[in-house]
Amino acid sequence: MRILHTMLRVGDLQKSIDFYTNILGMKLLRQQDYPDGSFTLAFLGYGDERQNTVLELTYNWGISHYDPGTGFGHIAIAVDDVYAATEKARERGARILRDAGPMNADTTIITWRQRISCSG
């Protein structure tokens, strides 16, 4: 397993990209609009995504503000077999809120994203 990225929601994508690139020295690695879902994703980091954990900024079109605590989205973790990892988590008491499948507003199959809620 490996941490791929941490997702944060932002109200001003360009201002956020400017902060992470101009102030913190990250590089904009890739950016893509998803018109069907009304959002844009931007990935930033200090190196190639294949070897480094990066930051995913999500701009939901038309939303310019998030209150503290509502901007965090997820931490993506890569696994060899998402279906086996999901079942293992389920067997250990995790409540799976979203099984593996296509990303919202795209046909990309995401096998690294699971929303798992563990209490305790």
Side-chain angles (χ1 to χ4, degrees):
M1 291 189 187
R2 151 176 117 73
I3 295 176
L4 299 175
H5 64 259
T6 297
M7 186 273 262
L8 299 174
R9 294 177 187 93
V10 298
D12 185 328
L13 184 60
Q14 192 55 54
K15 184 176 180 180
S16 297
I17 290 171
D18 289 346
F19 171 78
Y20 287 105
T21 58
N22 297 327
I23 305 297
L24 296 183
M26 292 183 182
K27 292 185 171 134
L28 177 61
L29 304 171
R30 61 187 169 101
Q31 182 174 332
Q32 184 172 347
D33 292 332
Y34 292 86
D36 290 343
S38 299
F39 64 92
T40 300
L41 301 181
F43 291 82
L44 299 101
Y46 294 109
D48 186 279
E49 290 179 72
R50 291 172 289 193
Q51 286 94 25
N52 296 278
T53 302
V54 299
L55 183 62
E56 173 190 332
L57 301 180
T58 299
Y59 171 64
N60 292 299
W61 300 350
I63 299 176
S64 62
H65 175 76
Y66 290 94
D67 292 323
T70 60
F72 174 77
H74 62 262
I75 296 173
I77 299 173
V79 297
D80 291 332
D81 181 338
V82 69
Y83 300 103
T86 299
E87 282 313 305
K88 192 176 206 178
R90 206 177 253 125
E91 289 167 6
R92 292 180 175 176
R95 185 170 54 106
I96 309 300
L97 302 176
R98 182 190 189 281
D99 284 318
M103 186 178 91
N104 181 25
D106 193 33
T107 58
T108 302
I109 301 298
I110 51 176
T111 59
W112 45 262
R113 181 176 180 212
Q114 291 296 299
R115 292 181 182 167
I116 300 174
S117 174
C118 299
S119 59

